[in-house]
Amino acid sequence: GQPLTVIAGLNVLETPELAIETARQLKAICGELGLPYVFKASFDKANRSSIKSYRGPGLDQGLEIFRRVKAEVDVPVATDIHEIAQAEPLAEVIDVLQIPAFLCRQTDLVVASARAIHRAGGWLHVKKGQFLAPWDCKNIVSKVQEAVDGADITILCERGNSFGYNNLVVDMLGIGEMKKLGVPVTIDATHAVQLPGADPRTGGESTGGRREGVAVIAKAAVVSGADGVFLEFHPDPDKALCDAPSCLPLAGAKDLLGTLKALHAVANR
Amino acid sequence: GQPLTVIAGLNVLETPELAIETARQLKAICGELGLPYVFKASFDKANRSSIKSYRGPGLDQGLEIFRRVKAEVDVPVATDIHEIAQAEPLAEVIDVLQIPAFLCRQTDLVVASARAIHRAGGWLHVKKGQFLAPWDCKNIVSKVQEAVDGADITILCERGNSFGYNNLVVDMLGIGEMKKLGVPVTIDATHAVQLPGADPRTGGESTGGRREGVAVIAKAAVVSGADGVFLEFHPDPDKALCDAPSCLPLAGAKDLLGTLKALHAVANR
Amino acid sequence: GQPLTVIAGLNVLETPELAIETARQLKAICGELGLPYVFKASFDKANRSSIKSYRGPGLDQGLEIFRRVKAEVDVPVATDIHEIAQAEPLAEVIDVLQIPAFLCRQTDLVVASARAIHRAGGWLHVKKGQFLAPWDCKNIVSKVQEAVDGADITILCERGNSFGYNNLVVDMLGIGEMKKLGVPVTIDATHAVQLPGADPRTGGESTGGRREGVAVIAKAAVVSGADGVFLEFHPDPDKALCDAPSCLPLAGAKDLLGTLKALHAVANR
Amino acid sequence: GQPLTVIAGLNVLETPELAIETARQLKAICGELGLPYVFKASFDKANRSSIKSYRGPGLDQGLEIFRRVKAEVDVPVATDIHEIAQAEPLAEVIDVLQIPAFLCRQTDLVVASARAIHRAGGWLHVKKGQFLAPWDCKNIVSKVQEAVDGADITILCERGNSFGYNNLVVDMLGIGEMKKLGVPVTIDATHAVQLPGADPRTGGESTGGRREGVAVIAKAAVVSGADGVFLEFHPDPDKALCDAPSCLPLAGAKDLLGTLKALHAVANR
């Protein structure tokens, strides 16, 4: 079988040095474990709860950092897209282009992203909306296929379903339902544990999380059939500029990824 | 107290004649009932389930139709925005600019829309995402206020919450929670009854609905405190080019709006 | 059409005097409004969150109080049953026997209750479980019909659906679904607003509520098709021995019931 | 650490021979794997959707079968209780007494069951209601402790949460929340995959299931921290007299339990 793919890095780009160092460490760990690795970071947090939240360096500076990461660390990189006009410039640098969950039903954005990243030989990583049933992802997969002459470039990502107010739940049975659509499926364990709108540190102004739950969701999803994991780290999680409550310490990456590899092997033996 | 506001029209623009006729009839009915009226139609359905679905005439032709409706029927008009670049051209014509539910957390779109429509003297009508708690709309209200120097131009709209897969539920207690944010609240009864991803007529390819439920949700929301109703009609609902299952017959508009007016009066006496 | 039925009284029996006085006042109000009235109170709260909570006077003392209420106020009475052995003694006194929501799927309890209350000429009022879809109540209706030779003695009651953790939501479209089963449907607005497990006054040990929401749910359900309302009052709600947070002041009963009657008339005209 | 406990057997007792053979095979498999084993079967299905469904042999015949299983196979046995009067006779034979999910809030049943099984030296296995938050199980744990002078005899069992209508979802983060209450936690993977009220084979009259999902939920829960698994088998699952759609083939037990043991070892290393 295929090894477990790891899409991991920073929630949002901060300094170039932080990106390079994080990519370097995660690449080394995944190399040791024999797991394919993609560096991930956002250049813009376009749907923060509050207008005052840190949003990232933006497209131009972001692309500059991604170029440096690729040049200095030699890894494929993943980032998310927010507007149609970003598709072409992103596809020049990015290997795995991500559609954010809230935007997974925006036809024009999905089509433009699919075409741009397909021309560049990359993949489209689509986060399943918190409002979307796993089987209804078939419409997304179809939209992409029609846009790129039937090429299989879609990876679907589970990141939790709305479960009442201010809570998400991951349905482990949904992973198998998404795989029935014939595409690889990843688990975004980092965002799946977030408690929308309920971070006690900021009086409810930004999105909270449950750091200790990230490993639980990653492990459970891997034994439920996930082909890859999506994880966000930081050398000092409490100082991460975005979504600190669900951010994992980089120092724990090796242990967690080793456990996930072992579970993946048992579940797929 | 204020009379019940009616934002009503077509799901999506089809011919100019249909728009004009629908606006004319609804304006006449609301005039008779003493209810403020805004004509609503979409120029582009940007998040249809399938790439093959009818999407509407697009921005340029859509604006042309809205201009004719305003000229010939003399009504304010409402429509939804999908991309930042549409904010300025839309604000030149549109009186009530709508943020779609899936996009209600996209900061740049909300801010650009708020600024453009505020300069034009209009309102911003924000559909609450199916994934958003009513109290968390405060972040949306704040974003808009910061964008337009504190002006009160936001109207919040309830259109249902994710309730398991392929179902929505309207929490009537949520209307009061949104009103606590100091803004008017409308009920989009048409979209609230949709069954996402489950229209049996199209094998699950487009979004289903429960026509008979629209009046139930509208009535219940009005007595729960809603300040306005959002409804979609068609002279021949089964032939509507989008979301036919939740579309109401124009011939029934007078009865329904009359009932809603009477309930609003009782509930607010 | 039928007038709106009112099943109302105390959450739980406290003193006989309180029961008699509450029944007397509510009977007078309903008489003035022309609404059929049934006095409701529980004799035992058998599923309190905590073992320390007040549970009521129990079966024997409870029946004694119900007998006094009937003798002194001349009203039909409703109460809930918790065990099969209570069916016969309760049916001797009670007119409307209630199956609690958590117990609505217990076949033996439903059958024994149906048979006992049917022999006594009364009704069976079944609260729909928080875990049950409205259409799945057909199995309850069938069980009762088979138990009592097809007699129509079932009244279904909506009291909210589980909506994530520690929250309930009333689906106003569910009322129509239950009515399709051919039985009258009531709304238990008092329990529908409870926040299971989250009363801040007791550190989460008993079930919380949102008093201001009771009228909202009652009004919305009445215009959504409910044939009756179920409400709990107390002369001094904050001193009610059970579920105080969702208890209404008796002094407000006339206003609320008058509004409900007026809304029922408009919705059914 | 502790080995993974296996509570497994039949959904409902059919013939004594079937119970004995099933217990014998599962005991042998668990013995080989070094996993503690408890035979489980119900003697009465007291909350079937339809009055026509098979319910089992009843208390007296059921106890007779359990006695034979214990005598001939030498295993501890588990079964569920439905009424207070069953507590004493059950505790004479049963080792692990189960409170059904719908009944987990019935104080008298929980207390009577706890006292009877504690005197007999057994355990109380409480299924968490589909309507109950994991942290709110603390009230159940407290009730039991007060009933048995603080003895630790409670095992909590996760079996899915209401997720919209006709669906359940297991929240893998809930397992850790229940463990924070200081008790062992099991996963009832068999019932967690049931689709309440939606078995297509019987026109919605009995509760459906997704057999292929049982292993997924069991594996995911074990790596999420579950201390034990609860599983229902049958030599010929499609002929099981109750809940066939979620029943596993006995022939696959060894493979599944072997995988669960291996995953438990990796997750707890």
Side-chain angles (χ1 to χ4, degrees), chain B residues 197-259:
Chain B
D199 183 343
R201 302 181 313 171
T202 56
E205 279 195 14
S206 64
T207 298
R210 294 165 288 185
R211 194 178 294 161
E212 74 280 8
V214 178
V216 172
I217 295 298
K219 290 188 287 185
V222 163
V223 302
S224 300
D227 303 293
V229 291
F230 176 106
L231 294 163
E232 293 176 355
F233 293 94
H234 197 280
D236 189 352
D238 291 331
K239 295 203 178 135
L241 295 181
C242 183
D243 289 348
S246 56
C247 186
L248 293 180
L250 194 48
K254 190 172 176 180
D255 264 11
L256 175 56
L257 293 172
T259 298

Side-chain angles (χ1 to χ4, degrees), chain C residues 197-240:
Chain C
D199 184 343
R201 302 181 312 170
T202 57
E205 280 196 14
S206 63
T207 299
R210 295 166 286 185
R211 194 177 292 161
E212 75 280 9
V214 178
V216 172
I217 294 298
K219 290 188 285 185
V222 163
V223 302
S224 300
D227 303 292
V229 291
F230 176 106
L231 294 164
E232 293 176 355
F233 293 93
H234 197 281
D236 189 352
D238 291 330
K239 295 200 178 140

Side-chain angles (χ1 to χ4, degrees), chain C residues 48 55 108 136 143 166, chain D residues 48 55 108 136 143 166:
Chain C
R48 298 300 302 273
R55 286 188 48 169
D108 291 342
D136 290 329
K143 280 181 191 175
N166 299 308
Chain D
R48 299 300 302 273
R55 288 189 44 170
D108 291 343
D136 290 330
K143 280 181 190 175
N166 300 306

Side-chain angles (χ1 to χ4, degrees), chain A residues 125-246:
Chain A
H125 191 228
V126 185
K127 302 267 184 99
K128 179 169 73 65
Q130 299 87 335
F131 45 80
L132 200 66
W135 37 82
D136 290 330
C137 291
K138 79 171 172 187
N139 292 315
I140 297 172
V141 174
S142 302
K143 280 181 191 175
V144 174
Q145 283 182 326
E146 290 186 51
V148 297
D149 298 319
D152 290 328
I153 63 167
T154 303
I155 303 166
L156 289 174
C157 178
E158 164 66 22
R159 48 91 75 237
N161 303 284
S162 289
F163 182 59
Y165 295 136
N166 300 308
N167 202 186
L168 297 174
V169 68
V170 176
D171 176 9
M172 292 298 159
L173 301 176
I175 292 170
E177 295 294 331
M178 285 189 275
K179 289 186 70 168
K180 285 181 191 166
L181 302 173
V183 298
V185 174
T186 63
I187 178 72
D188 174 353
T190 297
H191 290 90
V193 303
Q194 290 186 347
L195 299 171
D199 184 342
R201 302 181 311 172
T202 56
E205 279 196 15
S206 65
T207 299
R210 294 166 287 185
R211 194 178 294 163
E212 75 279 9
V214 178
V216 172
I217 295 297
K219 291 188 284 184
V222 163
V223 302
S224 300
D227 303 293
V229 292
F230 176 106
L231 294 163
E232 293 177 355
F233 293 94
H234 197 281
D236 189 352
D238 292 331
K239 295 202 177 137
L241 295 180
C242 182
D243 290 347
S246 56

Side-chain angles (χ1 to χ4, degrees), chain C residues 157-199:
Chain C
C157 178
E158 164 66 21
R159 48 91 76 236
N161 303 284
S162 289
F163 182 57
Y165 295 136
N166 299 308
N167 202 186
L168 296 174
V169 68
V170 176
D171 176 10
M172 293 298 160
L173 301 176
I175 292 171
E177 295 294 330
M178 285 190 275
K179 290 185 72 168
K180 286 180 190 166
L181 302 174
V183 299
V185 174
T186 62
I187 178 72
D188 175 353
T190 297
H191 291 89
V193 303
Q194 290 185 347
L195 299 171
D199 184 343

Side-chain angles (χ1 to χ4, degrees), chain D residues 43 50 74 119 126 184:
Chain D
F43 64 87
S50 166
D74 188 25
R119 272 195 297 273
V126 185

Side-chain angles (χ1 to χ4, degrees), chain D residues 57-101:
Chain D
L59 180 63
D60 293 342
Q61 281 190 52
L63 282 177
E64 188 49 40
I65 298 177
F66 286 124
R67 275 194 201 93
R68 284 190 55 190
V69 169
K70 295 188 72 162
E72 300 189 22
V73 189
D74 188 25
V75 282
V77 298
T79 201
D80 32 10
I81 182 171
H82 312 286
E83 293 173 41
I84 293 166
Q86 298 168 341
E88 290 298 334
L90 282 171
E92 282 175 34
V93 179
I94 299 301
D95 303 279
V96 178
L97 195 53
Q98 286 187 5
I99 304 289

